[in-house]
Amino acid sequence: MDQDSHCTGERELLEAVSRITTSSTTSSSDEEENHPKAEISRQVRKENPEKDDMQDSSATLSPNSSMTTKELQEYWRNEKRQCKQIELLFEIPSTRIVEHHLSKYVMYKIIILQTGSFDSNKSVIERRYSDFEKLHRNLLEEFSEEMEDVSFPKKILTGNFTEEIINERKLAFKDYLRLLYSMKYIRRSKKFIDFLTRPELQEAYGCLRGGQYTKALEILLEVIGLQERLTRGNPVAIVPTLCAIVVCHKDLENPASAFEYGEKALSCLRVHSSHRYYIPLLDTMITLAYELGKDFLSLQEKLEEWKTKKDPVRVFTLKELAVREYVR
């Protein structure tokens, strides 16, 4: 009788375990069937030619989904607003008041640091209120939904140069940049990247056109690190800057340094042989390799291979291309 009781208890335990397992499986299955997945086609931004870099993987929308149009729109808005863990930090430690002829304005010093990095990786730029205002206006034109909850310090008629107002704006602009960078579409947009790099690049290319290669190189080397961090996933975007650095080093008779940056530029163009910089860069690299006693035959082969595939066209030199960048 004890044995029968033991068998009965064992059977009951097995049945209970079976019920729990079945219930868990059914619940999981039901949850999977009832969970709507969404496949949202990403709109490629007109200003970014690298469309693959602008796309993110997303779930698939089931034909049997019960999501309403309103729910889908809300899902899309949330998806586009999706934030990420900050990789760049923005600090505004100080300001300076500039008086130029009849104008007077505040310049905000912006330090951009990579998370977890030492100060050697920091970038330092200066922007004024009107620069921030222009950025905000441009972003609103393209990212109206994402910018719905982004506040911007309003203009005031008096008191712009008081310590209180300046300190308030320092904090506001710091939070503003942090928030913009946290939104994936905005941080990848040309308008946001241009705000952080274009003034310095314009100055550098102006120096290059004027033959001030040392000054141009100094600025370009400061900008390229920030460009690399901002355009991560789209290496082609930094090719013009890398090539400008090559031109400066070459004209300053630093062939080894020129070759080093040329190799970086070529690696960015590995699968972009139709890029306007590809052939001029190859030509320059062949000259540098020959001068440095490096292997130039493999580069020559790539050049000949390209020529057999393309119709003969007028190709600018690397320097000719560089001086045409950022011409107003």
Side-chain angles (χ1 to χ4, degrees), residues 155-169:
K155 269 189 175 180
I156 56 175
L157 297 177
T158 59
N160 285 296
F161 304 102
T162 65
E163 185 177 352
E164 181 182 2
I165 293 298
I166 290 174
N167 286 334
E168 284 180 5
R169 285 186 173 173

Side-chain angles (χ1 to χ4, degrees), residues 54-222:
M54 295 296 294
Q55 296 177 337
D56 291 288
S57 59
S58 58
T60 306
L61 179 62
S62 168
N64 298 321
S65 172
S66 59
M67 293 180 78
T68 64
T69 301
K70 184 177 180 180
E71 288 171 335
L72 283 170
Q73 290 173 342
E74 184 62 28
Y75 181 95
W76 172 229
R77 277 195 291 270
N78 291 336
E79 183 72 7
K80 290 204 293 181
R81 287 172 177 169
Q82 178 183 326
C83 295
K84 58 171 273 184
Q85 184 177 357
I86 297 293
E87 291 182 359
L88 292 183
L89 301 176
F90 298 87
E91 298 291 340
I92 304 182
S94 61
T95 60
R96 63 187 178 94
I97 297 176
V98 178
E99 296 191 54
H100 185 66
H101 297 304
L102 299 178
S103 64
K104 183 179 179 181
Y105 52 87
V106 179
M107 292 294 288
Y108 296 85
K109 181 179 180 180
I110 306 168
I111 297 180
I112 306 164
L113 291 163
Q114 188 169 340
T115 304
S117 67
F118 295 104
D119 286 346
S120 59
N121 291 323
K122 72 181 179 183
S123 299
V124 182
I125 60 176
E126 283 189 318
R127 297 293 182 267
R128 54 189 290 190
Y129 179 92
S130 59
D131 296 324
F132 281 97
E133 189 178 38
K134 182 180 178 181
L135 170 66
H136 191 71
R137 187 169 58 250
N138 289 339
L139 291 177
L140 281 174
E141 292 176 359
E142 188 175 356
F143 304 102
S144 57
E145 290 184 349
E146 293 90 332
M147 299 286 289
E148 278 178 353
D149 302 321
V150 179
S151 59
F152 187 81
K154 293 182 179 180
K155 269 189 175 180
I156 56 175
L157 297 177
T158 59
N160 285 296
F161 304 102
T162 65
E163 185 177 352
E164 181 182 2
I165 293 298
I166 290 174
N167 286 334
E168 284 180 5
R169 285 186 173 173
K170 278 167 54 178
L171 294 173
F173 285 142
K174 173 186 172 180
D175 290 339
Y176 178 74
L177 290 174
R178 179 193 59 79
L179 184 56
L180 292 183
Y181 183 76
S182 73
M183 293 186 280
K184 59 186 176 184
Y185 281 103
I186 291 178
R187 69 173 171 266
R188 293 175 178 176
S189 72
K190 186 178 185 299
K191 291 175 180 178
F192 181 67
I193 294 171
D194 277 354
F195 168 79
L196 295 170
T197 61
R198 189 178 180 89
E200 286 70 26
L201 287 172
Q202 285 178 326
E203 182 184 359
Y205 279 100
C207 292
L208 192 157
R209 285 189 288 273
Q212 301 176 49
Y213 302 115
T214 300
K215 179 63 175 175
L217 183 60
E218 178 185 335
I219 300 170
L220 290 168
L221 290 175
E222 288 180 359

